């Protein structure tokens, strides 16, 4: 069993930055991939970023095209925490952001929400224009 708790959401103006955190507890953190997804009103949940287990290229990052160059995912294995640094935020980034854990990581499905086994409760990010 894995428990995930997100934090760091809030209201920010366009062009600003936020850093989301996701603290994990339970099974060995280093052995599973971590991902960030988001849900906006009227839209399906979409992939944002993922980072592989430490055993896979020491934690390789994957990004959706819409956030590449603006968002950075990282993991601190000593703190069992994954971060999402979000810069140059746009109003279209407004959504509830969820972190998730994938215990059976495959690189080809890093962005597939159904592959993730555990989910956090989500944190709201609102970007004003």
């Amino acid at each position: 069993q894995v428990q995930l708790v997100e934090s760091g959401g809030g209201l920010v103006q366009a062009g600003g930055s936020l850093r989301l955190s996701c603290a994990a507890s339970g099974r060995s953190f280093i052995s599973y991939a971590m991902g960030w997804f988001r849900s906006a009103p009227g839209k399906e949940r979409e992939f944002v970023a993922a980072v592989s287990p430490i055993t896979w290229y020491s934690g390789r990052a994957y990004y959706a095209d819409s956030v590449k160059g603006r968002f950075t995912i990282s993991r601190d294995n000593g703190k069992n925490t994954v971060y999402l640094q979000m810069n140059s935020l746009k109003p279209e980034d407004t959504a509830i952001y969820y972190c998730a854990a994938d215990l059976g990581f495959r690189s080809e499905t890093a962005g597939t929400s159904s592959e993730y086994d555990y989910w956090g409760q989500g944190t709201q990010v609102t970007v004003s224009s």
Side-chain angles (χ1 to χ4, degrees):
Q1 193 77 359
V2 175
Q3 293 79 41
L4 304 172
V5 179
E6 302 101 331
S7 61
L11 173 64
V12 64
Q13 288 189 332
S17 298
L18 281 175
R19 188 177 80 156
L20 305 183
S21 301
C22 176
S25 60
R27 298 178 60 169
S28 178
F29 180 72
I30 63 171
S31 65
Y32 45 88
M34 296 295 296
W36 287 96
F37 292 80
R38 64 187 181 187
S39 294
K43 295 185 178 180
E44 293 186 359
R45 182 173 296 185
E46 66 172 350
F47 169 70
V48 176
V51 60
S52 67
I54 198 66
T55 51
W56 184 270
Y57 295 100
S58 300
R60 174 172 285 183
Y62 303 81
Y63 298 97
D65 288 342
S66 59
V67 306
K68 205 170 291 184
R70 299 188 298 123
F71 291 10
T72 303
I73 189 171
S74 61
R75 63 189 302 160
D76 185 332
N77 297 310
K79 295 183 178 179
N80 285 8
T81 300
V82 64
Y83 303 98
L84 185 68
Q85 178 65 43
M86 305 185 295
N87 299 328
S88 302
L89 282 161
K90 305 175 181 179
E92 52 263 44
D93 294 318
T94 295
I96 299 174
Y97 283 70
Y98 299 89
C99 74
D102 178 3
L103 275 60
F105 174 77
R106 292 181 297 151
S107 61
E108 59 267 30
T109 58
T112 305
S113 60
S114 60
E115 293 294 312
Y116 286 76
D117 303 287
Y118 297 96
W119 292 81
Q121 81 289 349
T123 186
Q124 177 71 48
V125 171
T126 303
V127 184
S128 63
S129 56

